[in-house]
Amino acid sequence: MPSKQKSPRSEARRPVWAEVSLGALAHNLAAIRNYVNPPGEKRKAPRKILSIVKGNGYGHGGPQVAKALERAGSDWFGVTCTDEGIAVREAGARKPILVLTGFVAGEEARLLQHDLTAVVHRCDQLPLLERAARRGRGHASFHLKIDTGMNRLGIAPSDVDCFARQLGKCKHLRLTGIFSHFASSGVFTDTAAGKQTREQEERFYAALDRLRALGIDPGLVHLANSAAIVSRPETWADMVRPGAILYGYHPGYDPAEKREEAEKLLPLEPVMSLHTKIIHLRRVPAGAGVGYDATFVPKRPSLIGVLAAGYGDGIHRSLGNRGSVLVRGKLAPIVGIVSMDVTMIDVTDIEGVEVGDVATIYGTDNCGQVILANRVARSIGTVTSDLLCAVSQRVERIYVR
């Protein structure tokens, strides 16, 4: 068994890094595309894939993963805001970029300047976008969001007529897509949440039918997020929007058995591995407190390793006295409170441990052992995306093929 795992960086730097496998990313995209375009299905065109790269690409590096996904065949990209869209565009992405949460007044010119597709979720946004397009002496494409029960963003189905009247006054706008967002697509129990997805779908298609009855072509129709992509093929429409599954993790399901079923239906490869190194080893006698507030007090003489990463890097603070990391292929418990810049682990039972050994927070280590981020997330009562997005900007991403 190898005792060391070297950082892929040649120069000496603070030893915290995330390895991002572009091969795994491309594999997941291809698996999703094949899954939603089953052989023998009769369609005029294959379903498109809108890859969600918001939140800095779920912590993987939004512009970088967008470039890799475009090479792998992604049709669209989804970002949260104009600034995220600009960063992806300036990284070289040429495919359409949808700004999912819309825009604030004053951003319209920047949207058009960088060829970003706006989302309209209030009727009063139409005149703003129209004015910017007219001043730019061109046309602006946008997608319309319908609120079907999430009660966040989107026009109400009852406002479709009002929207149609407003759009009729806008000569420089082109509606190229319509969508909604599911609140509970991973819930299949006989509860209000379990019935919500079907109700949302019905409201959405009623609004869509009304829009068409008013003579408006909706363009691309898209509904399915990650859980719906895997388990609700009736929601696939013209385009799907994978988020967490792109990065190798299925979202939560209720009942829990659905997760195993989903993992068999759509096998995925985790894309990111988060690593750091042991920068100090300290022998601590029984009864001596470790870290802030002495929340860990060993009952035996212990060897404590200090890692060069903390919650300021992406080690979730909730993992203190609850989580583990991989060192030399074995689990080492996290002890004490996770600090901003360092974390303590108990390596008493790990033979031959040394300063400089690599600790894997989640992902794959050099011994072939794996800590899955979704299991870590479940152990502390959060979602996988929370862990992935928590990997901070000061952690260097190393892109490997």
Side-chain angles (χ1 to χ4, degrees):
M1 179 182 296
S3 62
K4 298 283 186 179
Q5 179 177 344
K6 294 182 179 179
S7 163
R9 299 174 295 190
S10 57
E11 72 278 11
R13 299 178 63 182
R14 182 169 178 263
V16 189
W17 71 98
E19 290 187 21
V20 179
S21 170
L22 300 182
L25 188 68
H27 168 272
N28 294 340
L29 177 65
I32 295 164
R33 183 181 296 282
N34 292 336
Y35 185 76
V36 300
N37 290 292
E41 185 183 28
K42 294 181 180 179
R43 285 183 57 84
K44 292 182 180 179
R47 290 184 179 89
K48 296 182 181 295
I49 308 294
L50 186 152
S51 298
I52 302 295
V53 296
K54 66 180 182 177
N56 196 29
Y58 281 59
H60 295 68
Q64 293 84 355
V65 297
K67 287 172 62 178
L69 287 165
E70 183 161 288
R71 287 194 299 269
S74 182
D75 302 293
W76 280 73
F77 297 106
V79 298
T80 290
C81 58
T82 302
D83 285 342
E84 281 189 341
I86 291 172
V88 169
R89 185 66 79 210
E90 290 182 341
R94 298 182 179 181
K95 293 294 179 67
I97 300 171
L98 188 65
V99 182
L100 291 161
T101 53
F103 59 94
V104 298
E107 284 191 309
E108 306 85 12
R110 295 175 71 221
L111 281 167
L112 303 185
Q113 178 187 350
H114 294 277
D115 191 24
L116 306 178
T117 302
V119 164
V120 166
H121 56 78
R122 299 194 319 270
C123 290
D124 61 6
Q125 291 176 307
L126 288 172
L128 298 174
L129 201 57
E130 166 72 9
R131 190 177 306 118
R134 187 172 63 246
R135 287 173 178 171
R137 298 183 180 180
H139 289 82
S141 297
F142 73 97
H143 285 203
L144 173 65
K145 185 169 188 178
I146 305 290
D147 176 26
T148 54
M150 188 79 165
N151 287 312
R152 295 194 314 187
L153 299 175
I155 70 166
S158 58
D159 288 337
V160 167
D161 284 50
C162 173
F163 165 81
R165 288 194 298 271
Q166 286 273 29
L167 183 61
K169 302 174 185 178
C170 300
K171 306 305 179 185
H172 297 80
L173 299 186
R174 292 174 179 164
L175 175 64
T176 56
I178 182 171
F179 72 107
S180 190
H181 188 63
F182 290 133
S184 311
S185 58
V187 180
F188 293 85
T189 54
D190 188 21
T191 61
K195 299 171 184 177
Q196 188 176 22
T197 300
R198 184 59 184 166
E199 293 169 353
Q200 284 191 259
E201 192 181 359
E202 290 170 354
R203 294 186 193 115
F204 176 78
Y205 280 106
L208 183 60
D209 288 344
R210 180 57 184 162
L211 200 65
R212 286 173 170 153
L214 294 169
I216 297 175
D217 181 356
L220 287 170
V221 176
H222 49 110
L223 279 166
N225 54 6
S226 286
I229 288 170
V230 180
S231 299
R232 299 181 185 270
E234 69 276 9
T235 69
W236 290 347
D238 301 323
M239 183 164 70
V240 297
R241 305 189 305 266
I245 57 174
L246 264 180
Y247 304 101
Y249 292 103
H250 287 273
Y253 290 90
D254 187 11
E257 304 84 69
K258 270 284 184 180
R259 184 183 299 110
E260 293 182 9
E261 179 184 325
E263 290 171 349
K264 290 178 182 177
L265 286 171
L266 183 60
L268 302 169
E269 296 180 4
V271 174
M272 182 194 292
S273 295
L274 180 61
H275 305 290
T276 185
K277 286 187 177 183
I278 296 174
I279 57 172
H280 185 57
L281 289 169
R282 178 180 294 277
R283 294 202 174 273
V284 176
V290 174
Y292 286 120
D293 300 336
T295 62
F296 175 73
V297 179
K299 297 179 180 179
R300 60 174 179 169
S302 299
L303 183 61
I304 303 299
V306 181
L307 303 181
Y311 65 77
D313 302 285
I315 301 180
H316 207 283
R317 200 167 184 269
S318 300
L319 290 169
N321 293 315
R322 296 173 68 182
S324 298
V325 302
L326 283 168
V327 177
R328 295 188 172 220
K330 296 182 178 180
L331 290 174
I334 295 173
V335 295
I337 291 175
V338 176
S339 304
M340 180 183 290
D341 306 307
V342 297
T343 300
M344 283 74 72
I345 58 174
D346 187 346
V347 292
T348 309
D349 297 325
I350 297 181
E351 185 178 350
V353 65
E354 299 175 355
V355 169
D357 280 352
V358 168
T360 299
I361 314 305
Y362 51 77
T364 306
D365 73 356
N366 64 319
C367 301
Q369 300 299 311
V370 180
I371 290 184
L372 294 173
N374 59 350
R375 293 182 183 174
V376 176
R378 290 199 295 273
S379 75
I380 55 175
T382 189
V383 294
T384 311
S385 303
D386 181 21
L387 291 190
L388 300 179
C389 291
V391 179
S392 69
Q393 294 288 348
R394 74 180 183 182
V395 175
E396 183 181 7
R397 275 71 169 173
I398 308 293
Y399 296 93
V400 298
R401 296 188 182 279

